[in-house]
Amino acid sequence: MMSELADVLPMPGISSVDDEPSTSSIGGAVSSAGRRVGDAIGFLGSTATSGVRSATGRLAQEQRGATDDWGRDPVLVRNIMFLAQLRWNVSTGGDQHLPKRRGALVVVNSPRMSNSAIFTAFAISEAVDRPVRFVATRELLPVTRIDRRIGGLLAHPDEIAGALRADEIVVLGAAPTNGLRSVGTVDHTLIGAALASSTRVFPAATTSTPFARRARVEIGPATHPPRKRRGPLTELELADRVRNDVHDLLDEMGDLGTGTPFDWLPMAGMGGN
């Protein structure tokens, strides 16, 4: 993005003392520079807006403060997605695997301090033009009202099962890990919520780079348990299998990244690609 800004912002020249510019030329240069700065600001705005226009156009018609049955505020979500686009250039793959109208539980890797479930929920929502919720589990901060308002659900099987029965897409993060390519354990009781509601479970992998805008979410085909059982072993086996599928997706993606909050620092290169 810095190269685009360089195209619209003038480069200062060096003139000799004998070449004093006239008042009219100074005024013209200032006016031209002002227009170019305006063009640059417009470019930044259009870059952010284009990424969320299709996914959030319907949200613009909703009243402020309107919330759904789980407390999600679509207008707040739209505004946060707009801000996120200023930082991220997200590509989402595999969204064709997700059901068009039915519910789905999406399990994603969670680098420590990344809040990847929120990041993935926004990315999938943009790709499929549907509200996407996430299981709000925080390492350092407690679950707050803001989590509810942007689509967070409690990490409780009954609440997740209720959302899945209502045909909602829910993103669940695996346990946080320090390794960029490692995948933590998956809570089998929350996987049990998908089994109880007859909802399919999908693996997903996220990567990002701390010094550029590139980020990716890749969704794989649905994960199926190895066999049907009557007891709790079914959810345990399904949790292990989806964890392995997430790991395989990370290996296939190949591009290392962190996905941590440090990626949002200004030094991380807001305009990089």
Side-chain angles (χ1 to χ4, degrees):
M1 187 180 292
M2 295 304 297
S3 61
E4 289 89 341
L5 294 179
D7 292 337
V8 297
L9 293 176
M11 297 298 294
I14 301 176
S15 59
S16 65
V17 176
D18 296 335
D19 297 332
E20 291 188 2
S22 65
T23 302
S24 60
S25 64
I26 292 176
V30 170
S31 177
S32 175
R35 288 194 300 270
R36 291 175 181 268
V37 170
D39 291 342
I41 294 173
F43 174 79
L44 287 172
S46 63
T47 299
T49 304
S50 61
V52 296
R53 183 180 293 116
S54 61
T56 59
R58 55 184 167 75
L59 302 181
Q61 307 301 322
E62 308 228 13
Q63 296 180 355
R64 288 189 177 276
T67 58
D68 60 21
D69 293 340
W70 287 271
R72 183 180 184 274
D73 183 345
V75 177
L76 178 61
V77 171
R78 179 197 64 195
N79 292 335
I80 292 180
M81 288 177 69
F82 179 88
L83 293 175
Q85 283 292 329
L86 289 173
R87 173 59 183 94
W88 294 107
N89 178 17
V90 185
S91 60
T92 304
D95 51 283
Q96 72 275 6
H97 295 305
L98 297 175
K100 298 296 184 181
R101 296 179 179 84
R102 298 289 304 277
L105 181 65
V106 180
V107 179
V108 66
N109 60 301
S110 299
R112 194 168 298 282
M113 296 178 62
S114 68
N115 289 329
S116 62
I118 302 176
F119 170 83
T120 301
F122 285 168
I124 295 177
S125 180
E126 180 183 336
V128 303
D129 195 16
R130 289 180 58 184
V132 177
R133 306 178 193 279
F134 61 93
V135 179
T137 56
R138 298 292 186 87
E139 294 181 78
L140 302 179
L141 299 175
V143 176
T144 62
R145 286 186 61 187
I146 191 66
D147 291 307
R148 280 287 191 189
R149 295 188 65 197
I150 62 176
L153 299 175
L154 294 177
H156 192 283
D158 289 343
E159 179 156 346
I160 297 172
L164 295 175
R165 289 191 183 98
D167 296 329
E168 300 289 333
I169 297 177
V170 179
V171 175
L172 168 66
T177 59
N178 292 321
L180 300 180
R181 291 196 175 279
S182 60
V183 182
T185 58
V186 179
D187 191 333
H188 68 92
T189 64
L190 303 184
I191 294 293
L195 292 172
S197 58
S198 301
T199 302
R200 288 186 293 172
V201 179
F202 296 83
T206 65
T207 61
S208 64
T209 172
F211 301 108
R213 295 185 64 239
R214 291 191 304 271
R216 182 162 183 81
V217 174
E218 186 68 30
I219 306 164
T223 300
H224 301 285
R227 64 179 67 88
K228 292 184 178 181
R229 297 179 182 270
R230 295 181 181 273
L233 283 180
T234 300
E235 59 190 48
L236 287 167
E237 291 178 344
L238 182 55
D240 286 341
R241 177 162 286 198
V242 72
R243 179 187 181 187
N244 292 334
D245 288 347
V246 173
H247 190 276
D248 291 343
L249 284 174
L250 282 172
D251 285 342
E252 293 172 4
M253 292 172 74
D255 190 17
L256 288 176
T258 64
T260 69
F262 297 107
D263 295 349
W264 290 77
L265 294 174
M267 65 174 289
M270 176 175 167
N273 280 311

